[in-house]
């Protein structure tokens, strides 16, 4: 194996800069606090925990996540399809180490994951790989920052959870608006899927780089 091949990372992505990580974590904690206080959430609590009578500690349910980031390409040290091609892409090489702003437009929660939706700019989309899972939706629709997972959930679950929500919305499902607050519109899509569309998107400065683990 050549030097180049052995240099492929676990994944490429945008890594949220330090002060914004803290802000994002507190936004997530407040979001969970708001949810559990809502009658509509409590009514559907068995979505999260079958035997829950009326209470669930969402802070317990979701575990803290390390370094917050938006994965662009999961390379698995070169084992993943298209890893080498991605690393050699001109846009990827040129943007490596560059800082840009990520626009977080919504927060979502499912019984499995807690994440933030990232709306990519045209320039950021240049770093988004063609992705079979995004068939039928626009490229970049699954861009997200995982904020937390529930116990025993696969670390790759947030993308599929977000895509399910995107597909529901694309099919014209509007969900049930549960709260209209300063933060934004909170909508319930069934099966424990909640979305808070942020009135003011949260901008997080992030560095495009890679992680070796
Ligand atoms: P995500 O980007 O949705 O948070 P791990 O935590 O297993 O080391 O994975 C590192 C990152 O790569 C995580 O951010 C994770 O998900 C993403 N990831 C893990 N496995 C896969 C996979 N098979 N396909 C795509 N992304 C993955």
């Amino acid at each position: 194996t050549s030097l180049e091949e052995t240099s492929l990372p676990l994944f490429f992505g945008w890594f949220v800069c330090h002060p914004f990580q803290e802000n994002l974590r507190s936004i997530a904690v407040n979001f969970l606090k708001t949810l559990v206080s809502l009658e509509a959430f409590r009514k559907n609590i068995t979505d999260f925990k079958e035997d829950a009578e009326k209470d669930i500690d969402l802070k317990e349910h979701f575990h803290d996540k390390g370094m917050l980031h938006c994965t662009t390409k999961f390379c698995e040290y070169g084992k993943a399809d298209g890893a080498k091609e991605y690393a050699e892409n001109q846009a990827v090489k040129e943007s490596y180490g560059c800082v840009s702003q990520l626009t977080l437009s919504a927060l979502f929660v499912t019984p499995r994951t807690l994440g933030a939706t990232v709306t990519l700019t045209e320039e950021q989309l240049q770093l988004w790989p063609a992705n079979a899972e995004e068939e039928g939706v626009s490229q970049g629709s699954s861009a997200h920052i995982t904020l937390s997972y529930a116990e025993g959930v696969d670390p790759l679950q947030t993308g599929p959870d977000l895509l399910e929500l995107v597909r529901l919305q694309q099919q014209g499902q509007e969900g049930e608006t549960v709260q209209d607050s300063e933060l934004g519109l909170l909508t319930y899509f069934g099966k424990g899927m909640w979305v808070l569309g942020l009135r003011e998107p949260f901008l997080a400065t992030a560095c495009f780089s890679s992680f070796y683990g």
Side-chain angles (χ1 to χ4, degrees):
T1 40
S2 73
L3 198 58
E4 254 178 31
E5 276 170 57
T6 55
S7 74
L8 290 168
L10 182 61
F11 64 90
F12 283 89
W14 290 282
F15 296 80
V16 177
C17 295
H18 179 71
F20 296 92
Q21 298 225 13
E22 287 317 305
N23 293 349
L24 199 44
R25 278 184 224 281
S26 65
I27 289 174
V29 167
N30 286 331
F31 175 46
L32 294 183
K33 267 195 203 144
T34 305
L35 261 188
V36 287
S37 72
L38 295 173
E39 188 54 39
F41 179 81
R42 299 161 80 89
K43 215 172 64 194
N44 294 296
I45 211 150
T46 48
D47 291 346
F48 278 77
K49 202 170 160 222
E50 265 176 34
D51 59 357
E53 299 241 310
K54 54 185 183 325
D55 267 325
I56 182 168
D57 187 342
L58 283 185
K59 234 180 151 284
E60 280 271 297
H61 182 80
F62 289 113
H63 295 261
D64 280 345
K65 182 84 177 13
M67 172 195 58
L68 300 180
H69 64 274
C70 173
T71 306
T72 53
K73 174 73 186 169
F74 186 69
C75 293
E76 219 184 345
Y77 309 111
K79 277 184 268 170
D81 275 352
K84 188 162 175 278
E85 292 73 10
Y86 183 82
E88 286 170 357
N89 181 298
Q90 198 57 30
V92 169
K93 285 187 181 169
E94 279 171 13
S95 303
Y96 199 82
C98 292
V99 168
S100 68
Q101 262 187 343
L102 291 180
T103 303
L104 311 190
S105 45
L107 298 176
F108 59 93
V109 66
T110 77
R112 301 163 295 278
T113 61
L114 169 63
T117 306
V118 179
T119 305
L120 300 174
T121 62
E122 279 302 317
E123 208 177 342
Q124 288 166 341
L125 272 171
Q126 305 300 309
L127 302 171
W128 195 256
N131 181 338
E133 276 109 64
E134 288 186 340
E135 215 192 306
V137 297
S138 49
Q139 280 287 303
S141 324
S142 64
H144 65 272
I145 294 176
T146 298
L147 299 170
S148 191
Y149 303 112
E151 179 94 37
V153 168
D154 270 352
L156 52 87
Q157 187 59 47
T158 321
D161 278 3
L162 174 55
L163 278 173
E164 187 175 357
L165 281 163
V166 170
R167 290 208 164 91
L168 285 176
Q169 283 164 292
Q170 191 165 294
Q171 288 158 14
Q173 287 215 29
E174 287 170 5
E176 172 196 339
T177 300
V178 169
Q179 198 187 46
D180 186 354
S181 72
E182 256 169 58
L183 269 180
L185 273 194
L186 178 69
T187 307
Y188 178 54
F189 285 92
K191 294 193 289 174
M193 300 188 291
W194 298 81
V195 178
L196 173 66
L198 298 174
R199 208 173 290 288
E200 290 285 332
F202 179 72
L203 300 177
T205 305
C207 180
F208 181 68
S209 185
S210 58
F211 181 74
Y212 286 82

